[in-house]
Amino acid sequence: MCEYYAGADPILYESRTRSIRIDGVLTSLRLENLVWDTLAKMAEAEGSSTNTLIAQLYREVLSRRGECPNFASFLRVTSLRYLNLMAEQGTAARDPKSYLSVETAGHDATSDRASTAYGNQRLTSVR
C-alpha cells in the first residue's frame, strides 16, 4: 500500500505559486499542483474560473468565521474534504455537481464547496 503513495509523481506535490485577485486585492497562494488541479475541476463543475471560486471560498469562510488565518491550508483541507465526500458517495465520475446536495456526517456539503474529483492532469492554469 505504501508503495502506491510513495510512488506518486513528484509533480503532484510540487508547489506552485499563483497570483489571485480577491475583492480587488492581489495576493499570492502557494499550493501543491494536486490542490490546484482539484480546485480547477471544482471551478469547472461550478461553471466558474478557479480565481472566482477561490474568491468565493474566501468570502464564505470570512462570512462564517470572521477570519481565516491560513487560507492556503483551508483550501487544502477543503479539497481533501471534497475528494473524501466524492469517494464516499461514489459520485465523482457520474456528476461532479452532485456534492451540492449531499449531506454527510452532520456536515452540509453546500457549505464546503471546495473541490472536485482529481483528474489525471499535470498542471492546470488558472483561468
Side-chain angles (χ1 to χ4, degrees):
M1 179 166 127
C2 291
E3 185 59 35
Y4 173 78
Y5 299 110
D9 186 347
I11 195 129
L12 295 175
Y13 51 87
E14 179 181 290
S15 293
R16 181 165 310 279
T17 302
R18 296 187 182 171
S19 295
I20 305 284
R21 188 170 302 275
I22 300 175
D23 296 334
V25 177
L26 190 63
T27 189
S28 295
L29 284 172
R30 185 169 185 82
L31 298 169
E32 295 73 22
N33 288 324
L34 179 58
V35 176
W36 284 116
D37 287 349
T38 301
L39 291 169
K41 289 191 176 274
M42 182 176 95
E44 183 179 327
E46 290 286 317
S48 70
S49 69
T50 304
N51 287 5
T52 300
L53 176 71
I54 290 170
Q56 177 184 351
L57 288 168
Y58 184 75
R59 286 188 296 273
E60 288 181 10
V61 75
L62 284 184
S63 173
R64 280 187 152 223
R65 307 224 189 295
E67 66 176 348
C68 188
N70 193 338
F71 187 56
S73 289
F74 168 79
L75 291 174
R76 287 182 189 98
V77 169
T78 302
S79 296
L80 287 170
R81 290 183 70 196
Y82 178 78
L83 292 173
N84 284 335
L85 180 62
M86 290 296 95
E88 289 171 7
Q89 299 298 320
T91 58
R94 292 193 308 264
D95 183 6
K97 286 189 173 187
S98 64
Y99 75 93
L100 293 174
S101 62
V102 176
E103 290 189 21
T104 180
H107 296 289
D108 178 3
T110 59
S111 66
D112 293 346
R113 295 194 121 128
S115 335
T116 188
Y118 172 69
N120 195 14
Q121 296 176 316
R122 287 187 159 254
L123 297 174
T124 304
S125 62
V126 174
R127 293 184 235 170

PDB file of all heavy atoms in Angstrom, residues 29-68:
ATOM      1  N   LEU A  29      -0.909  32.732  -3.671  1.00  0.00           N
ATOM      2  CA  LEU A  29      -1.194  31.468  -2.991  1.00  0.00           C
ATOM      3  C   LEU A  29      -0.193  30.435  -3.465  1.00  0.00           C
ATOM      4  O   LEU A  29       0.035  30.279  -4.662  1.00  0.00           O
ATOM      5  CB  LEU A  29      -2.600  30.975  -3.320  1.00  0.00           C
ATOM      6  CG  LEU A  29      -3.758  31.669  -2.647  1.00  0.00           C
ATOM      7  CD1 LEU A  29      -5.073  31.189  -3.240  1.00  0.00           C
ATOM      8  CD2 LEU A  29      -3.731  31.402  -1.150  1.00  0.00           C
ATOM      9  N   ARG A  30       0.392  29.730  -2.531  1.00  0.00           N
ATOM     10  CA  ARG A  30       1.321  28.644  -2.850  1.00  0.00           C
ATOM     11  C   ARG A  30       0.660  27.338  -2.434  1.00  0.00           C
ATOM     12  O   ARG A  30       0.459  27.075  -1.248  1.00  0.00           O
ATOM     13  CB  ARG A  30       2.644  28.840  -2.126  1.00  0.00           C
ATOM     14  CG  ARG A  30       3.689  27.822  -2.502  1.00  0.00           C
ATOM     15  CD  ARG A  30       5.057  28.240  -1.959  1.00  0.00           C
ATOM     16  NE  ARG A  30       6.102  27.356  -2.398  1.00  0.00           N
ATOM     17  CZ  ARG A  30       6.720  27.422  -3.576  1.00  0.00           C
ATOM     18  NH1 ARG A  30       6.380  28.365  -4.428  1.00  0.00           N
ATOM     19  NH2 ARG A  30       7.658  26.568  -3.897  1.00  0.00           N
ATOM     20  N   LEU A  31       0.326  26.529  -3.440  1.00  0.00           N
ATOM     21  CA  LEU A  31      -0.344  25.250  -3.215  1.00  0.00           C
ATOM     22  C   LEU A  31       0.299  24.176  -4.076  1.00  0.00           C
ATOM     23  O   LEU A  31       0.930  24.472  -5.096  1.00  0.00           O
ATOM     24  CB  LEU A  31      -1.826  25.356  -3.597  1.00  0.00           C
ATOM     25  CG  LEU A  31      -2.674  26.349  -2.818  1.00  0.00           C
ATOM     26  CD1 LEU A  31      -4.024  26.535  -3.494  1.00  0.00           C
ATOM     27  CD2 LEU A  31      -2.838  25.889  -1.383  1.00  0.00           C
ATOM     28  N   GLU A  32       0.099  22.941  -3.684  1.00  0.00           N
ATOM     29  CA  GLU A  32       0.593  21.815  -4.464  1.00  0.00           C
ATOM     30  C   GLU A  32      -0.218  21.696  -5.754  1.00  0.00           C
ATOM     31  O   GLU A  32      -1.388  22.046  -5.802  1.00  0.00           O
ATOM     32  CB  GLU A  32       0.482  20.528  -3.638  1.00  0.00           C
ATOM     33  CG  GLU A  32       1.364  20.500  -2.406  1.00  0.00           C
ATOM     34  CD  GLU A  32       0.884  21.399  -1.272  1.00  0.00           C
ATOM     35  OE1 GLU A  32      -0.313  21.750  -1.228  1.00  0.00           O
ATOM     36  OE2 GLU A  32       1.712  21.760  -0.427  1.00  0.00           O
ATOM     37  N   ASN A  33       0.416  21.162  -6.790  1.00  0.00           N
ATOM     38  CA  ASN A  33      -0.254  21.022  -8.082  1.00  0.00           C
ATOM     39  C   ASN A  33      -1.543  20.206  -7.985  1.00  0.00           C
ATOM     40  O   ASN A  33      -2.528  20.522  -8.655  1.00  0.00           O
ATOM     41  CB  ASN A  33       0.692  20.395  -9.109  1.00  0.00           C
ATOM     42  CG  ASN A  33       1.771  21.360  -9.536  1.00  0.00           C
ATOM     43  OD1 ASN A  33       1.538  22.557  -9.661  1.00  0.00           O
ATOM     44  ND2 ASN A  33       2.960  20.846  -9.757  1.00  0.00           N
ATOM     45  N   LEU A  34      -1.538  19.184  -7.156  1.00  0.00           N
ATOM     46  CA  LEU A  34      -2.749  18.375  -6.979  1.00  0.00           C
ATOM     47  C   LEU A  34      -3.895  19.227  -6.437  1.00  0.00           C
ATOM     48  O   LEU A  34      -5.042  19.089  -6.866  1.00  0.00           O
ATOM     49  CB  LEU A  34      -2.473  17.184  -6.057  1.00  0.00           C
ATOM     50  CG  LEU A  34      -3.648  16.259  -5.763  1.00  0.00           C
ATOM     51  CD1 LEU A  34      -4.216  15.673  -7.040  1.00  0.00           C
ATOM     52  CD2 LEU A  34      -3.208  15.156  -4.818  1.00  0.00           C
ATOM     53  N   VAL A  35      -3.599  20.127  -5.523  1.00  0.00           N
ATOM     54  CA  VAL A  35      -4.632  21.005  -4.972  1.00  0.00           C
ATOM     55  C   VAL A  35      -5.119  21.968  -6.045  1.00  0.00           C
ATOM     56  O   VAL A  35      -6.326  22.189  -6.198  1.00  0.00           O
ATOM     57  CB  VAL A  35      -4.124  21.762  -3.724  1.00  0.00           C
ATOM     58  CG1 VAL A  35      -5.164  22.746  -3.215  1.00  0.00           C
ATOM     59  CG2 VAL A  35      -3.738  20.776  -2.631  1.00  0.00           C
ATOM     60  N   TRP A  36      -4.192  22.548  -6.826  1.00  0.00           N
ATOM     61  CA  TRP A  36      -4.605  23.438  -7.920  1.00  0.00           C
ATOM     62  C   TRP A  36      -5.504  22.698  -8.907  1.00  0.00           C
ATOM     63  O   TRP A  36      -6.508  23.230  -9.368  1.00  0.00           O
ATOM     64  CB  TRP A  36      -3.389  24.009  -8.647  1.00  0.00           C
ATOM     65  CG  TRP A  36      -2.675  25.100  -7.918  1.00  0.00           C
ATOM     66  CD1 TRP A  36      -1.392  25.071  -7.446  1.00  0.00           C
ATOM     67  CD2 TRP A  36      -3.191  26.391  -7.559  1.00  0.00           C
ATOM     68  NE1 TRP A  36      -1.093  26.257  -6.827  1.00  0.00           N
ATOM     69  CE2 TRP A  36      -2.172  27.085  -6.886  1.00  0.00           C
ATOM     70  CE3 TRP A  36      -4.421  27.020  -7.748  1.00  0.00           C
ATOM     71  CZ2 TRP A  36      -2.336  28.379  -6.401  1.00  0.00           C
ATOM     72  CZ3 TRP A  36      -4.593  28.307  -7.267  1.00  0.00           C
ATOM     73  CH2 TRP A  36      -3.561  28.975  -6.602  1.00  0.00           C
ATOM     74  N   ASP A  37      -5.123  21.475  -9.243  1.00  0.00           N
ATOM     75  CA  ASP A  37      -5.939  20.683 -10.170  1.00  0.00           C
ATOM     76  C   ASP A  37      -7.336  20.430  -9.612  1.00  0.00           C
ATOM     77  O   ASP A  37      -8.336  20.520 -10.313  1.00  0.00           O
ATOM     78  CB  ASP A  37      -5.272  19.338 -10.475  1.00  0.00           C
ATOM     79  CG  ASP A  37      -4.063  19.461 -11.380  1.00  0.00           C
ATOM     80  OD1 ASP A  37      -3.843  20.548 -11.951  1.00  0.00           O
ATOM     81  OD2 ASP A  37      -3.328  18.461 -11.512  1.00  0.00           O
ATOM     82  N   THR A  38      -7.392  20.101  -8.333  1.00  0.00           N
ATOM     83  CA  THR A  38      -8.676  19.839  -7.682  1.00  0.00           C
ATOM     84  C   THR A  38      -9.537  21.094  -7.689  1.00  0.00           C
ATOM     85  O   THR A  38     -10.731  21.051  -8.021  1.00  0.00           O
ATOM     86  CB  THR A  38      -8.461  19.337  -6.246  1.00  0.00           C
ATOM     87  OG1 THR A  38      -7.671  18.149  -6.294  1.00  0.00           O
ATOM     88  CG2 THR A  38      -9.773  19.033  -5.568  1.00  0.00           C
ATOM     89  N   LEU A  39      -8.952  22.224  -7.361  1.00  0.00           N
ATOM     90  CA  LEU A  39      -9.699  23.487  -7.369  1.00  0.00           C
ATOM     91  C   LEU A  39     -10.172  23.848  -8.780  1.00  0.00           C
ATOM     92  O   LEU A  39     -11.286  24.345  -8.958  1.00  0.00           O
ATOM     93  CB  LEU A  39      -8.848  24.614  -6.779  1.00  0.00           C
ATOM     94  CG  LEU A  39      -8.571  24.512  -5.280  1.00  0.00           C
ATOM     95  CD1 LEU A  39      -7.505  25.530  -4.872  1.00  0.00           C
ATOM     96  CD2 LEU A  39      -9.843  24.690  -4.466  1.00  0.00           C
ATOM     97  N   ALA A  40      -9.347  23.586  -9.775  1.00  0.00           N
ATOM     98  CA  ALA A  40      -9.732  23.879 -11.162  1.00  0.00           C
ATOM     99  C   ALA A  40     -10.918  23.021 -11.599  1.00  0.00           C
ATOM    100  O   ALA A  40     -11.850  23.511 -12.244  1.00  0.00           O
ATOM    101  CB  ALA A  40      -8.546  23.664 -12.098  1.00  0.00           C
ATOM    102  N   LYS A  41     -10.908  21.767 -11.228  1.00  0.00           N
ATOM    103  CA  LYS A  41     -12.026  20.888 -11.576  1.00  0.00           C
ATOM    104  C   LYS A  41     -13.286  21.281 -10.816  1.00  0.00           C
ATOM    105  O   LYS A  41     -14.386  21.219 -11.344  1.00  0.00           O
ATOM    106  CB  LYS A  41     -11.659  19.440 -11.334  1.00  0.00           C
ATOM    107  CG  LYS A  41     -10.654  18.953 -12.349  1.00  0.00           C
ATOM    108  CD  LYS A  41     -10.504  17.468 -12.269  1.00  0.00           C
ATOM    109  CE  LYS A  41      -9.572  17.025 -13.347  1.00  0.00           C
ATOM    110  NZ  LYS A  41     -10.256  16.798 -14.608  1.00  0.00           N
ATOM    111  N   MET A  42     -13.121  21.700  -9.576  1.00  0.00           N
ATOM    112  CA  MET A  42     -14.262  22.166  -8.807  1.00  0.00           C
ATOM    113  C   MET A  42     -14.865  23.413  -9.448  1.00  0.00           C
ATOM    114  O   MET A  42     -16.081  23.527  -9.571  1.00  0.00           O
ATOM    115  CB  MET A  42     -13.839  22.479  -7.382  1.00  0.00           C
ATOM    116  CG  MET A  42     -14.978  22.922  -6.520  1.00  0.00           C
ATOM    117  SD  MET A  42     -14.433  23.142  -4.857  1.00  0.00           S
ATOM    118  CE  MET A  42     -14.115  24.872  -4.902  1.00  0.00           C
ATOM    119  N   ALA A  43     -14.000  24.316  -9.854  1.00  0.00           N
ATOM    120  CA  ALA A  43     -14.468  25.542 -10.508  1.00  0.00           C
ATOM    121  C   ALA A  43     -15.216  25.203 -11.793  1.00  0.00           C
ATOM    122  O   ALA A  43     -16.272  25.776 -12.080  1.00  0.00           O
ATOM    123  CB  ALA A  43     -13.291  26.463 -10.803  1.00  0.00           C
ATOM    124  N   GLU A  44     -14.698  24.259 -12.539  1.00  0.00           N
ATOM    125  CA  GLU A  44     -15.359  23.826 -13.765  1.00  0.00           C
ATOM    126  C   GLU A  44     -16.760  23.282 -13.468  1.00  0.00           C
ATOM    127  O   GLU A  44     -17.724  23.595 -14.158  1.00  0.00           O
ATOM    128  CB  GLU A  44     -14.514  22.751 -14.457  1.00  0.00           C
ATOM    129  CG  GLU A  44     -15.076  22.296 -15.776  1.00  0.00           C
ATOM    130  CD  GLU A  44     -14.192  21.252 -16.431  1.00  0.00           C
ATOM    131  OE1 GLU A  44     -12.962  21.308 -16.266  1.00  0.00           O
ATOM    132  OE2 GLU A  44     -14.746  20.377 -17.114  1.00  0.00           O
ATOM    133  N   ALA A  45     -16.865  22.493 -12.408  1.00  0.00           N
ATOM    134  CA  ALA A  45     -18.169  21.944 -12.020  1.00  0.00           C
ATOM    135  C   ALA A  45     -19.128  23.050 -11.597  1.00  0.00           C
ATOM    136  O   ALA A  45     -20.342  22.925 -11.759  1.00  0.00           O
ATOM    137  CB  ALA A  45     -18.001  20.930 -10.885  1.00  0.00           C
ATOM    138  N   GLU A  46     -18.588  24.139 -11.061  1.00  0.00           N
ATOM    139  CA  GLU A  46     -19.403  25.283 -10.637  1.00  0.00           C
ATOM    140  C   GLU A  46     -19.696  26.230 -11.789  1.00  0.00           C
ATOM    141  O   GLU A  46     -20.452  27.181 -11.627  1.00  0.00           O
ATOM    142  CB  GLU A  46     -18.668  26.066  -9.540  1.00  0.00           C
ATOM    143  CG  GLU A  46     -18.582  25.337  -8.225  1.00  0.00           C
ATOM    144  CD  GLU A  46     -19.903  25.319  -7.497  1.00  0.00           C
ATOM    145  OE1 GLU A  46     -20.588  26.346  -7.449  1.00  0.00           O
ATOM    146  OE2 GLU A  46     -20.265  24.253  -6.994  1.00  0.00           O
ATOM    147  N   GLY A  47     -19.028  26.013 -12.924  1.00  0.00           N
ATOM    148  CA  GLY A  47     -19.216  26.903 -14.065  1.00  0.00           C
ATOM    149  C   GLY A  47     -18.520  28.238 -13.882  1.00  0.00           C
ATOM    150  O   GLY A  47     -18.979  29.261 -14.384  1.00  0.00           O
ATOM    151  N   SER A  48     -17.399  28.225 -13.151  1.00  0.00           N
ATOM    152  CA  SER A  48     -16.668  29.467 -12.918  1.00  0.00           C
ATOM    153  C   SER A  48     -15.182  29.237 -13.138  1.00  0.00           C
ATOM    154  O   SER A  48     -14.741  28.121 -13.380  1.00  0.00           O
ATOM    155  CB  SER A  48     -16.923  29.984 -11.496  1.00  0.00           C
ATOM    156  OG  SER A  48     -16.300  29.157 -10.545  1.00  0.00           O
ATOM    157  N   SER A  49     -14.415  30.299 -13.021  1.00  0.00           N
ATOM    158  CA  SER A  49     -12.964  30.173 -13.106  1.00  0.00           C
ATOM    159  C   SER A  49     -12.413  29.774 -11.739  1.00  0.00           C
ATOM    160  O   SER A  49     -13.090  29.918 -10.712  1.00  0.00           O
ATOM    161  CB  SER A  49     -12.342  31.498 -13.545  1.00  0.00           C
ATOM    162  OG  SER A  49     -12.470  32.462 -12.516  1.00  0.00           O
ATOM    163  N   THR A  50     -11.182  29.303 -11.730  1.00  0.00           N
ATOM    164  CA  THR A  50     -10.540  28.949 -10.476  1.00  0.00           C
ATOM    165  C   THR A  50     -10.418  30.173  -9.579  1.00  0.00           C
ATOM    166  O   THR A  50     -10.688  30.106  -8.380  1.00  0.00           O
ATOM    167  CB  THR A  50      -9.149  28.327 -10.737  1.00  0.00           C
ATOM    168  OG1 THR A  50      -9.309  27.212 -11.617  1.00  0.00           O
ATOM    169  CG2 THR A  50      -8.496  27.857  -9.455  1.00  0.00           C
ATOM    170  N   ASN A  51     -10.024  31.303 -10.155  1.00  0.00           N
ATOM    171  CA  ASN A  51      -9.888  32.528  -9.355  1.00  0.00           C
ATOM    172  C   ASN A  51     -11.215  32.938  -8.737  1.00  0.00           C
ATOM    173  O   ASN A  51     -11.264  33.333  -7.569  1.00  0.00           O
ATOM    174  CB  ASN A  51      -9.352  33.666 -10.216  1.00  0.00           C
ATOM    175  CG  ASN A  51      -7.895  33.506 -10.547  1.00  0.00           C
ATOM    176  OD1 ASN A  51      -7.273  32.504 -10.226  1.00  0.00           O
ATOM    177  ND2 ASN A  51      -7.331  34.499 -11.210  1.00  0.00           N
ATOM    178  N   THR A  52     -12.290  32.862  -9.509  1.00  0.00           N
ATOM    179  CA  THR A  52     -13.610  33.222  -8.991  1.00  0.00           C
ATOM    180  C   THR A  52     -14.012  32.294  -7.855  1.00  0.00           C
ATOM    181  O   THR A  52     -14.531  32.747  -6.829  1.00  0.00           O
ATOM    182  CB  THR A  52     -14.657  33.177 -10.125  1.00  0.00           C
ATOM    183  OG1 THR A  52     -14.264  34.109 -11.134  1.00  0.00           O
ATOM    184  CG2 THR A  52     -16.045  33.506  -9.620  1.00  0.00           C
ATOM    185  N   LEU A  53     -13.766  31.014  -8.019  1.00  0.00           N
ATOM    186  CA  LEU A  53     -14.089  30.049  -6.967  1.00  0.00           C
ATOM    187  C   LEU A  53     -13.304  30.339  -5.693  1.00  0.00           C
ATOM    188  O   LEU A  53     -13.866  30.350  -4.597  1.00  0.00           O
ATOM    189  CB  LEU A  53     -13.798  28.626  -7.436  1.00  0.00           C
ATOM    190  CG  LEU A  53     -14.016  27.561  -6.370  1.00  0.00           C
ATOM    191  CD1 LEU A  53     -15.503  27.382  -6.093  1.00  0.00           C
ATOM    192  CD2 LEU A  53     -13.371  26.262  -6.780  1.00  0.00           C
ATOM    193  N   ILE A  54     -12.015  30.589  -5.829  1.00  0.00           N
ATOM    194  CA  ILE A  54     -11.179  30.858  -4.658  1.00  0.00           C
ATOM    195  C   ILE A  54     -11.661  32.118  -3.945  1.00  0.00           C
ATOM    196  O   ILE A  54     -11.755  32.146  -2.716  1.00  0.00           O
ATOM    197  CB  ILE A  54      -9.692  30.951  -5.061  1.00  0.00           C
ATOM    198  CG1 ILE A  54      -9.192  29.552  -5.446  1.00  0.00           C
ATOM    199  CG2 ILE A  54      -8.850  31.545  -3.932  1.00  0.00           C
ATOM    200  CD1 ILE A  54      -7.822  29.527  -6.080  1.00  0.00           C
ATOM    201  N   ALA A  55     -11.996  33.151  -4.703  1.00  0.00           N
ATOM    202  CA  ALA A  55     -12.510  34.386  -4.095  1.00  0.00           C
ATOM    203  C   ALA A  55     -13.829  34.114  -3.373  1.00  0.00           C
ATOM    204  O   ALA A  55     -14.064  34.629  -2.270  1.00  0.00           O
ATOM    205  CB  ALA A  55     -12.689  35.462  -5.157  1.00  0.00           C
ATOM    206  N   GLN A  56     -14.680  33.286  -3.967  1.00  0.00           N
ATOM    207  CA  GLN A  56     -15.953  32.934  -3.341  1.00  0.00           C
ATOM    208  C   GLN A  56     -15.712  32.168  -2.040  1.00  0.00           C
ATOM    209  O   GLN A  56     -16.352  32.445  -1.016  1.00  0.00           O
ATOM    210  CB  GLN A  56     -16.797  32.095  -4.294  1.00  0.00           C
ATOM    211  CG  GLN A  56     -18.107  31.635  -3.697  1.00  0.00           C
ATOM    212  CD  GLN A  56     -18.883  30.710  -4.626  1.00  0.00           C
ATOM    213  OE1 GLN A  56     -18.525  30.524  -5.787  1.00  0.00           O
ATOM    214  NE2 GLN A  56     -19.933  30.125  -4.113  1.00  0.00           N
ATOM    215  N   LEU A  57     -14.798  31.221  -2.071  1.00  0.00           N
ATOM    216  CA  LEU A  57     -14.475  30.468  -0.860  1.00  0.00           C
ATOM    217  C   LEU A  57     -13.949  31.392   0.232  1.00  0.00           C
ATOM    218  O   LEU A  57     -14.313  31.251   1.399  1.00  0.00           O
ATOM    219  CB  LEU A  57     -13.442  29.381  -1.172  1.00  0.00           C
ATOM    220  CG  LEU A  57     -13.954  28.200  -1.972  1.00  0.00           C
ATOM    221  CD1 LEU A  57     -12.792  27.353  -2.454  1.00  0.00           C
ATOM    222  CD2 LEU A  57     -14.927  27.378  -1.154  1.00  0.00           C
ATOM    223  N   TYR A  58     -13.104  32.331  -0.148  1.00  0.00           N
ATOM    224  CA  TYR A  58     -12.553  33.271   0.832  1.00  0.00           C
ATOM    225  C   TYR A  58     -13.663  34.094   1.483  1.00  0.00           C
ATOM    226  O   TYR A  58     -13.727  34.219   2.699  1.00  0.00           O
ATOM    227  CB  TYR A  58     -11.527  34.184   0.154  1.00  0.00           C
ATOM    228  CG  TYR A  58     -10.851  35.109   1.119  1.00  0.00           C
ATOM    229  CD1 TYR A  58      -9.873  34.639   1.985  1.00  0.00           C
ATOM    230  CD2 TYR A  58     -11.196  36.450   1.174  1.00  0.00           C
ATOM    231  CE1 TYR A  58      -9.245  35.483   2.893  1.00  0.00           C
ATOM    232  CE2 TYR A  58     -10.578  37.306   2.069  1.00  0.00           C
ATOM    233  CZ  TYR A  58      -9.604  36.822   2.923  1.00  0.00           C
ATOM    234  OH  TYR A  58      -8.995  37.663   3.819  1.00  0.00           O
ATOM    235  N   ARG A  59     -14.564  34.632   0.661  1.00  0.00           N
ATOM    236  CA  ARG A  59     -15.675  35.416   1.205  1.00  0.00           C
ATOM    237  C   ARG A  59     -16.561  34.565   2.110  1.00  0.00           C
ATOM    238  O   ARG A  59     -17.017  35.015   3.162  1.00  0.00           O
ATOM    239  CB  ARG A  59     -16.497  36.034   0.074  1.00  0.00           C
ATOM    240  CG  ARG A  59     -15.798  37.205  -0.588  1.00  0.00           C
ATOM    241  CD  ARG A  59     -16.703  37.928  -1.560  1.00  0.00           C
ATOM    242  NE  ARG A  59     -17.110  37.118  -2.695  1.00  0.00           N
ATOM    243  CZ  ARG A  59     -16.404  36.996  -3.819  1.00  0.00           C
ATOM    244  NH1 ARG A  59     -15.263  37.627  -3.963  1.00  0.00           N
ATOM    245  NH2 ARG A  59     -16.852  36.247  -4.805  1.00  0.00           N
ATOM    246  N   GLU A  60     -16.827  33.327   1.713  1.00  0.00           N
ATOM    247  CA  GLU A  60     -17.692  32.452   2.504  1.00  0.00           C
ATOM    248  C   GLU A  60     -17.066  32.087   3.847  1.00  0.00           C
ATOM    249  O   GLU A  60     -17.753  32.071   4.866  1.00  0.00           O
ATOM    250  CB  GLU A  60     -18.056  31.201   1.718  1.00  0.00           C
ATOM    251  CG  GLU A  60     -19.038  31.488   0.600  1.00  0.00           C
ATOM    252  CD  GLU A  60     -19.433  30.250  -0.188  1.00  0.00           C
ATOM    253  OE1 GLU A  60     -19.096  29.120   0.231  1.00  0.00           O
ATOM    254  OE2 GLU A  60     -20.084  30.426  -1.228  1.00  0.00           O
ATOM    255  N   VAL A  61     -15.772  31.787   3.860  1.00  0.00           N
ATOM    256  CA  VAL A  61     -15.140  31.437   5.135  1.00  0.00           C
ATOM    257  C   VAL A  61     -15.068  32.663   6.044  1.00  0.00           C
ATOM    258  O   VAL A  61     -15.257  32.552   7.257  1.00  0.00           O
ATOM    259  CB  VAL A  61     -13.761  30.755   4.947  1.00  0.00           C
ATOM    260  CG1 VAL A  61     -12.675  31.733   4.561  1.00  0.00           C
ATOM    261  CG2 VAL A  61     -13.359  29.994   6.208  1.00  0.00           C
ATOM    262  N   LEU A  62     -14.831  33.839   5.484  1.00  0.00           N
ATOM    263  CA  LEU A  62     -14.841  35.058   6.298  1.00  0.00           C
ATOM    264  C   LEU A  62     -16.230  35.329   6.857  1.00  0.00           C
ATOM    265  O   LEU A  62     -16.376  35.722   8.014  1.00  0.00           O
ATOM    266  CB  LEU A  62     -14.374  36.265   5.491  1.00  0.00           C
ATOM    267  CG  LEU A  62     -12.885  36.375   5.228  1.00  0.00           C
ATOM    268  CD1 LEU A  62     -12.577  37.678   4.488  1.00  0.00           C
ATOM    269  CD2 LEU A  62     -12.070  36.273   6.495  1.00  0.00           C
ATOM    270  N   SER A  63     -17.243  35.088   6.041  1.00  0.00           N
ATOM    271  CA  SER A  63     -18.619  35.299   6.481  1.00  0.00           C
ATOM    272  C   SER A  63     -18.979  34.369   7.638  1.00  0.00           C
ATOM    273  O   SER A  63     -19.648  34.769   8.581  1.00  0.00           O
ATOM    274  CB  SER A  63     -19.571  35.072   5.309  1.00  0.00           C
ATOM    275  OG  SER A  63     -20.898  35.099   5.721  1.00  0.00           O
ATOM    276  N   ARG A  64     -18.520  33.128   7.565  1.00  0.00           N
ATOM    277  CA  ARG A  64     -18.839  32.139   8.602  1.00  0.00           C
ATOM    278  C   ARG A  64     -17.990  32.285   9.852  1.00  0.00           C
ATOM    279  O   ARG A  64     -18.460  32.084  10.953  1.00  0.00           O
ATOM    280  CB  ARG A  64     -18.616  30.726   8.069  1.00  0.00           C
ATOM    281  CG  ARG A  64     -19.718  30.245   7.229  1.00  0.00           C
ATOM    282  CD  ARG A  64     -19.479  28.788   6.886  1.00  0.00           C
ATOM    283  NE  ARG A  64     -20.801  28.256   6.682  1.00  0.00           N
ATOM    284  CZ  ARG A  64     -21.214  27.105   7.121  1.00  0.00           C
ATOM    285  NH1 ARG A  64     -20.414  26.315   7.768  1.00  0.00           N
ATOM    286  NH2 ARG A  64     -22.434  26.706   6.900  1.00  0.00           N
ATOM    287  N   ARG A  65     -16.698  32.581   9.676  1.00  0.00           N
ATOM    288  CA  ARG A  65     -15.765  32.533  10.795  1.00  0.00           C
ATOM    289  C   ARG A  65     -15.208  33.895  11.204  1.00  0.00           C
ATOM    290  O   ARG A  65     -14.612  34.025  12.251  1.00  0.00           O
ATOM    291  CB  ARG A  65     -14.589  31.621  10.463  1.00  0.00           C
ATOM    292  CG  ARG A  65     -15.022  30.246  10.004  1.00  0.00           C
ATOM    293  CD  ARG A  65     -14.233  29.162  10.631  1.00  0.00           C
ATOM    294  NE  ARG A  65     -14.451  27.843  10.083  1.00  0.00           N
ATOM    295  CZ  ARG A  65     -15.571  27.159  10.135  1.00  0.00           C
ATOM    296  NH1 ARG A  65     -16.629  27.684  10.641  1.00  0.00           N
ATOM    297  NH2 ARG A  65     -15.651  25.943   9.640  1.00  0.00           N
ATOM    298  N   GLY A  66     -15.336  34.884  10.338  1.00  0.00           N
ATOM    299  CA  GLY A  66     -14.814  36.211  10.646  1.00  0.00           C
ATOM    300  C   GLY A  66     -13.353  36.396  10.299  1.00  0.00           C
ATOM    301  O   GLY A  66     -12.871  37.508  10.171  1.00  0.00           O
ATOM    302  N   GLU A  67     -12.628  35.304  10.139  1.00  0.00           N
ATOM    303  CA  GLU A  67     -11.223  35.356   9.761  1.00  0.00           C
ATOM    304  C   GLU A  67     -10.808  33.999   9.199  1.00  0.00           C
ATOM    305  O   GLU A  67     -11.502  32.998   9.397  1.00  0.00           O
ATOM    306  CB  GLU A  67     -10.332  35.700  10.947  1.00  0.00           C
ATOM    307  CG  GLU A  67     -10.310  34.625  12.016  1.00  0.00           C
ATOM    308  CD  GLU A  67      -9.343  34.949  13.156  1.00  0.00           C
ATOM    309  OE1 GLU A  67      -8.537  35.877  13.010  1.00  0.00           O
ATOM    310  OE2 GLU A  67      -9.402  34.253  14.167  1.00  0.00           O
ATOM    311  N   CYS A  68      -9.695  34.012   8.497  1.00  0.00           N
ATOM    312  CA  CYS A  68      -9.118  32.765   8.000  1.00  0.00           C
ATOM    313  C   CYS A  68      -7.605  32.934   8.031  1.00  0.00           C
ATOM    314  O   CYS A  68      -6.996  33.365   7.055  1.00  0.00           O
ATOM    315  CB  CYS A  68      -9.614  32.458   6.586  1.00  0.00           C
ATOM    316  SG  CYS A  68      -9.105  30.817   6.031  1.00  0.00           S
TER     317      CYS A  68
END
